[in-house]
Amino acid sequence: MKQKMTTTKRIAKPAKANKPKTHDDYLAAVPEDKRTALQKLRKAIKAAAPKAEECISYQIPAFRLNGKFLVAYGAGANHCAFYPGSVVQALKEELKGYDTSKGTVRFPADKPLPFALVRKLVKLRIEEKG
């Protein structure tokens, strides 16, 4: 494959380089502290939605249920994130101690989301998706 030169004189990487193909690929590239927190989150999601299938969506680990996006998770520069969608709004009170936005819950790697909270968010999401 021929490599293109970018305007900043760096060599452009082939489009598929470094893109994770599985949750394990993604987690292997994450720093250890975040990896531990995300593995706990992954386990909680699997327990709450055992029929959900793992996939990669927008280059982050995600789960699908009946072919539809359910939830996702990932690592940011200074935090870990859980993407349960619009159900974040429904649990605003329980998520008060976390940095939240429309469909995202951000948390520090040394304080993973409680299993019960993840379970509640995932169950609400399943209900929402029907």
Side-chain angles (χ1 to χ4, degrees):
M1 176 182 239
K2 205 173 198 182
Q3 301 222 337
K4 296 180 193 174
M5 293 295 286
T6 62
T7 56
T8 58
K9 305 265 186 214
R10 289 181 290 163
I11 296 174
K13 292 182 181 177
K16 296 203 179 207
N18 300 328
K19 287 189 180 180
K21 289 181 175 44
T22 66
H23 284 228
D24 291 329
D25 289 348
Y26 181 90
L27 291 169
V30 171
E32 191 175 337
D33 60 333
K34 291 179 185 157
R35 183 179 324 125
T36 301
L38 293 176
Q39 285 171 328
K40 288 179 183 177
L41 181 57
R42 179 186 185 188
K43 188 176 180 179
I45 295 166
K46 284 175 147 182
K51 293 181 181 173
E53 63 179 289
E54 292 186 341
C55 63
I56 297 292
S57 180
Y58 296 98
Q59 297 178 34
I60 62 169
F63 288 83
R64 272 192 222 121
L65 188 61
N66 302 322
K68 295 179 183 172
F69 175 82
L70 184 64
V71 296
Y73 64 87
N78 301 310
H79 63 271
C80 293
F82 180 42
Y83 307 101
S86 59
V87 297
V88 168
Q89 305 307 311
L91 294 180
K92 270 248 189 245
E93 280 301 308
E94 292 181 57
L95 294 167
K96 259 189 177 168
Y98 299 97
D99 179 16
T100 62
S101 59
K102 201 171 185 178
T104 305
V105 180
R106 285 173 287 282
F107 58 95
D110 61 346
K111 294 182 183 169
L113 291 175
F115 189 90
L117 183 58
V118 173
R119 183 177 176 83
K120 199 176 230 184
L121 286 161
V122 173
K123 292 290 185 187
L124 275 174
R125 185 72 173 155
I126 291 169
E127 286 176 26
E128 178 183 84
K129 286 292 184 178

